[in-house]
């Protein structure tokens, strides 16, 4: 028995991270200094994208992505019900109409067959979306090639919510390379793969979009000489659009940059922990979420799913584990069940695959510094009576 609760996820911070932050605190700039640019460059290089724009959170990144792609009141955008609410909220920040596409039970990612069907229906009704936000659930990349081939004929923009998936690969390409999308968003919240405290980034290969994201993330203000009239005085700046203060500080970026150097190791450890779980728990009456052929998961989450044959309910397992100081979590309550979305007209039964997923899933601890895996495995075996 462990004295304190083992969390389902947590950050890994070492002395080099601490030193990086302290160095920034002692420097001339604690915000809008050199660290943000260095971090952006390093992220872009790591995921093989032309540009990276660092911001204050993935939520801000999703909002800016929708704005930069001109999503507004008269448009529709689609996402999935099985995600954190931020994926959907970005659409509503722009006052657009939202609709959802259901997921594949095996991966938790958007289901291409259901997307295809919904697109054909929407075409007939003249209700095609302007953009689609897909979510790389638990660290598994969605089937981007298929999704892009379905969306391109209609000129639908694609944003990847890769909050779970920094360090993941899709057919030998790093998630974030935007080979099949317009923009890709990562989160640096402490439970995610690397952290900057709070923080997020958007990657893209489109130079104009990247400039627009930068502008909108900093009040819509530019001091760029190229964008001002020729005789602009040296103090001059201009607000070109209604933007926000979504900037990342140098303090956060210094931490992010230091963490990024550990990414490969984090992914290696997460994959080892996942393989251990899969091996040790393989005879239990439960199911797992695993990446399909050609995908390397970043294993942000390790999810077990109860089946008909499972002797206990999901709630019983959750309570048993909690009693043993093993923290677990449910990812996620379907977004369309949230009162805010129910008020928009969505209801239980609208997206059965996401709902069934929610009813059966349970995330158990996985993070680089997890040392209690053996204990967790033994407890699960006891709880599930093997
Ligand atoms: C964590 C998360 C977000 C929000 O990230 P923040 O950086 O906390 O704003 C968005 N989408 C998904 C899928 C997430 O898991």
């Amino acid at each position: 028995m462990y004295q304190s609760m083992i969390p389902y996820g947590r950050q890994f911070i070492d002395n080099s991270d601490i030193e990086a932050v302290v160095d920034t605190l002692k420097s001339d700039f604690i915000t809008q200094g050199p660290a943000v640019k260095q971090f952006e460059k390093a992220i872009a290089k790591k995921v093989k994208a032309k540009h990276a724009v660092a911001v204050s959170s993935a939520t801000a990144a999703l909002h800016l992505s929708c704005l930069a792609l001109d999503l507004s009141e008269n448009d529709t955008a689609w996402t999935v019900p099985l995600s954190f609410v931020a994926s959907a909220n970005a659409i509503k920040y722009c006052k657009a109409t939202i609709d959802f596409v259901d997921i594949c039970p095996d991966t938790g990612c958007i289901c291409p067959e259901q997307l295809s069907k919904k697109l054909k229906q929407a075409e007939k009704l003249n209700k095609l979306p302007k953009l689609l936000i897909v979510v790389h659930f638990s660290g598994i990349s969605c089937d981007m090639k298929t999704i892009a081939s379905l969306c391109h004929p209609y000129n639908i923009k694609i944003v990847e919510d890769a909050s779970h998936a920094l360090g993941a690969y899709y057919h030998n390409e790093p998630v974030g390379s935007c080979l099949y999308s317009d923009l890709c968003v990562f989160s640096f919240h402490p439970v995610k793969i690397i952290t900057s405290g709070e923080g997020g980034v958007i990657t893209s290969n489109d130079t104009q979009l990247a400039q627009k994201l930068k502008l909108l993330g900093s009040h819509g203000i530019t001091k760029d000489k190229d964008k001002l009239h020729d005789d602009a005085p040296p103090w001059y700046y201009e607000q070109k659009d209604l933007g926000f203060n979504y900037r990342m500080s140098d303090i956060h970026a210094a931490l992010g940059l230091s963490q990024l150097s550990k990414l490969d190791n984090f992914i290696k450890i997460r994959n080892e922990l996942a393989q251990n779980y899969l091996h040790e728990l393989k005879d239990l009456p439960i199911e797992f979420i695993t990446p399909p052929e050609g995908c390397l998961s970043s294993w942000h989450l390790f999810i077990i799913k109860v089946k008909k044959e499972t002797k206990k309910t999901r709630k019983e397992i959750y309570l048993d584990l909690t009693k043993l100081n093993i923290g677990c979590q449910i990812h996620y309550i379907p977004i369309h069940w949230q009162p805010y979305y129910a008020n928009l007209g969505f209801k239980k039964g609208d997206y059965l695959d996401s709902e069934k997923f929610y009813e059966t899933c349970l995330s158990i601890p996985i993070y680089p510094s997890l040392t209690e895996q053996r204990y967790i495995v033994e407890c699960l075996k006891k709880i599930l009576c093997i």
Side-chain angles (χ1 to χ4, degrees):
M1 180 76 179
Y2 281 81
Q3 287 304 306
S4 58
M5 186 68 84
I6 304 162
Y8 82 89
R10 69 161 288 152
Q11 71 278 14
F12 176 93
I13 300 284
D14 67 10
N15 279 332
S16 67
D17 296 320
I18 294 165
E19 277 166 26
V21 173
V22 171
D23 285 349
T24 299
L25 285 169
K26 290 177 178 165
S27 75
D28 291 336
F29 300 98
I30 58 172
T31 193
Q32 291 178 277
V36 170
K37 281 195 195 79
Q38 279 169 21
F39 185 41
E40 288 176 337
K41 252 186 146 163
I43 288 278
K45 186 167 174 223
K46 190 76 197 170
V47 304
K48 294 206 225 157
K50 237 190 207 160
H51 305 282
V53 177
V55 291
S56 52
S57 69
T59 303
L62 287 162
H63 184 194
L64 288 178
S65 297
C66 290
L67 285 173
L69 292 167
D70 294 321
L71 188 70
S72 70
E73 229 163 333
N74 300 320
D75 300 316
T76 298
W78 294 355
T79 188
V80 284
L82 190 76
S83 185
F84 184 55
V85 292
S87 317
N89 288 348
I91 294 167
K92 294 312 297 175
Y93 293 155
C94 297
K95 302 203 159 46
T97 301
I98 189 167
D99 205 352
F100 299 93
V101 185
D102 218 342
I103 53 119
C104 298
D106 298 347
T107 59
C109 294
I110 189 167
C111 169
E113 288 81 33
Q114 299 195 61
L115 173 63
S116 170
K117 233 163 113 189
K118 200 175 170 91
L119 283 169
K120 283 184 193 130
Q121 281 169 355
E123 186 184 20
K124 279 196 204 123
L125 298 170
N126 210 8
K127 284 186 168 172
L128 283 164
K130 183 176 217 165
L131 76 86
L132 172 69
I133 302 176
V134 298
V135 178
H136 301 318
F137 188 81
S138 79
I140 300 173
S141 172
C142 299
D143 184 358
M144 292 309 295
K145 204 171 168 178
T146 307
I147 291 162
S149 73
L150 291 172
C151 289
H152 282 170
Y154 302 112
N155 203 19
I156 296 165
K157 305 288 183 199
I158 301 172
V159 175
E160 300 171 73
D161 182 345
S163 293
H164 299 179
L166 185 67
Y169 277 77
Y170 172 73
H171 296 300
N172 297 319
E173 285 296 322
V175 168
S177 68
C178 295
L179 210 59
Y180 301 104
S181 71
D182 297 279
L183 299 168
C184 182
V185 165
F186 295 101
S187 170
F188 305 124
H189 182 280
V191 296
K192 305 291 162 69
I193 307 293
I194 67 167
T195 189
S196 63
E198 293 274 7
V201 75
I202 310 147
T203 61
S204 180
N205 296 318
D206 184 321
T207 305
Q208 261 185 328
L209 267 182
Q211 284 174 351
K212 205 165 165 191
L213 290 165
K214 263 273 181 237
L215 190 79
L216 288 169
S218 194
H219 310 280
I221 285 175
T222 185
K223 291 174 195 165
D224 193 344
K225 287 268 171 289
D226 300 341
K227 300 205 168 53
L228 302 172
H229 50 88
D230 290 342
D231 52 355
W235 60 82
Y236 198 68
Y237 61 84
E238 236 168 41
Q239 185 189 337
K240 301 276 195 187
D241 205 338
L242 185 63
F244 297 82
N245 181 354
Y246 281 163
R247 291 188 305 260
M248 179 180 274
S249 80
D250 264 42
I251 305 169
H252 294 83
L255 177 55
L257 189 60
S258 173
Q259 286 264 300
L260 188 60
S261 66
K262 302 177 175 71
L263 176 63
D264 294 347
N265 198 34
F266 286 169
I267 297 298
K268 186 168 152 269
I269 298 170
R270 285 179 177 275
N271 270 271
E272 284 165 4
L273 289 167
Q275 292 314 316
N276 269 342
Y277 271 141
L278 290 171
H279 178 71
E280 293 287 339
L281 305 175
K282 69 177 189 306
D283 297 326
L284 296 183
I286 48 175
E287 290 177 310
F288 305 100
I289 308 302
T290 52
E293 242 348 84
C295 285
L296 177 82
S297 177
S298 55
W299 290 102
H300 163 57
L301 303 172
F302 191 89
I303 293 176
I304 61 173
K305 289 206 290 183
V306 298
K307 306 198 279 192
K308 276 204 201 78
E309 306 87 273
T310 314
K311 292 190 185 77
K312 293 196 166 167
T313 65
R314 192 265 306 268
K315 187 174 174 190
E316 285 167 339
I317 301 169
Y318 179 98
L319 293 174
D320 285 353
L321 285 170
T322 310
K323 258 188 230 140
L324 294 162
N325 266 343
I326 298 169
C328 34
Q329 190 59 266
I330 308 299
H331 295 97
Y332 292 93
I333 300 168
I335 296 175
H336 68 286
W337 284 11
Q338 298 294 346
Y340 172 81
Y341 287 93
N343 283 338
L344 297 177
F346 297 100
K347 57 188 189 308
K348 287 197 180 179
D350 282 352
Y351 304 99
L352 289 171
D353 292 324
S354 295
E355 295 175 14
K356 174 91 188 301
F357 196 104
Y358 161 68
E359 308 273 7
T360 56
C361 70
L362 187 67
S363 302
I364 60 173
I366 189 164
Y367 50 89
S369 61
L370 179 69
T371 54
E372 304 90 349
Q373 192 176 28
R374 178 141 298 281
Y375 170 71
I376 297 165
V377 164
E378 291 313 317
C379 288
L380 268 170
K381 283 182 177 170
K382 262 184 230 144
I383 289 168
L384 295 165
C385 304
I386 294 262

